[in-house]
Amino acid sequence: MKWLRKKNNHQPSLSLEQQRAEKLAEMGAQLWALRQEQGLSLEQVVVLTRVPRRLLQAIEEGNLNDLPEPVYIQGLIRQFADALGLNGVEFSGTFPISSAQLNPQGMRNISRLDQLRPIHLYFLYILLIVCSVNGLSQLLNNAVLQASNSQNQPYLKQKSIDKPEPTKPKESLKVQPVSDTLNSIQQGQTLQIGVTLKASSWIRVVADGKIEFEGILPEGTHRIWKAQEQLTVKTDNAGGVLMSVNQEKAKEMGEPGKEEEVRIAAKPKF
């Protein structure tokens, strides 16, 4: 009977997969909170880490099914943490990869010689993975820098020849009343703005003083908004947004990565 009571008091342990899922959810929530606190978007973290957006989002959401093998997950968490100013190696080291890492108490009865061998192999494997990720990241960064320099060289040469132009203060707001050339716009008709996303961008749309939409639209999205008197469109990536007014030819709102706000107002009555 004593043996039975001891067996009933034993608490069932979670499986390795369940413990990974719980730890990933905890770490993802911490990374999400820190990113929000620093005011960084996922797109900005993608630029810093060179890690695809879907993998960063899966880490924040604790979605283990959308991520690769556990050892690669640990490397991705390390890069994510480093980009947010944390000690990536220390932070990612708490993510469980093997059962030996999760159940240290069960290893107490194992001899020191038997315990050192798998640990040495484990750290060697992790070191190889980290070195490979760092090397690949460095190669990608160098390739991007070389491509950027080669594209900017003709532009810099042309600038050195031309006379410098006086800088003008950038206007924070563009007001574009509907012109007289828009013969299709009659009195009482609605204004219409259509946007097509060349790249994932944050957008806010205000129609007649009411916010119709505010959030991130993915690449390839096409949306249309209408208003009676005024439409305002603001984005944090003007070069990634094509905008058309009243079904005219779509044009980019501005330069890539720059914040821009455009307001379309109906022609006033006279």
Side-chain angles (χ1 to χ4, degrees), residues 72-84:
Y72 294 107
I73 296 176
Q74 191 177 67
L76 296 173
I77 293 174
R78 179 190 61 78
Q79 291 182 271
F80 201 161
D82 283 338
L84 298 180

Side-chain angles (χ1 to χ4, degrees), residues 226-253:
K226 296 181 181 181
Q228 296 296 328
E229 298 179 357
Q230 181 175 289
L231 271 168
T232 303
V233 180
K234 185 175 182 180
T235 181
D236 64 350
N237 182 19
V241 181
L242 295 175
M243 187 179 72
S244 64
V245 180
N246 296 318
Q247 300 181 353
E248 287 189 333
K249 184 179 179 181
K251 298 180 180 179
E252 291 182 357
M253 290 184 64

Side-chain angles (χ1 to χ4, degrees), residues 44-74:
Q44 290 173 311
V45 180
V46 169
V47 175
L48 294 174
T49 61
R50 303 294 178 184
V51 176
R53 185 181 188 278
R54 61 180 181 83
L55 296 181
L56 296 178
Q57 186 173 0
I59 291 174
E60 285 190 350
E61 295 175 355
N63 193 344
L64 195 63
N65 294 330
D66 290 343
L67 292 169
E69 296 296 321
V71 67
Y72 294 107
I73 296 176
Q74 191 177 67

Side-chain angles (χ1 to χ4, degrees), residues 167-181:
T167 58
K168 297 180 180 180
K170 182 180 177 181
E171 297 180 357
S172 60
L173 181 64
K174 293 183 180 180
V175 180
Q176 299 180 356
V178 179
S179 64
D180 296 335
T181 59

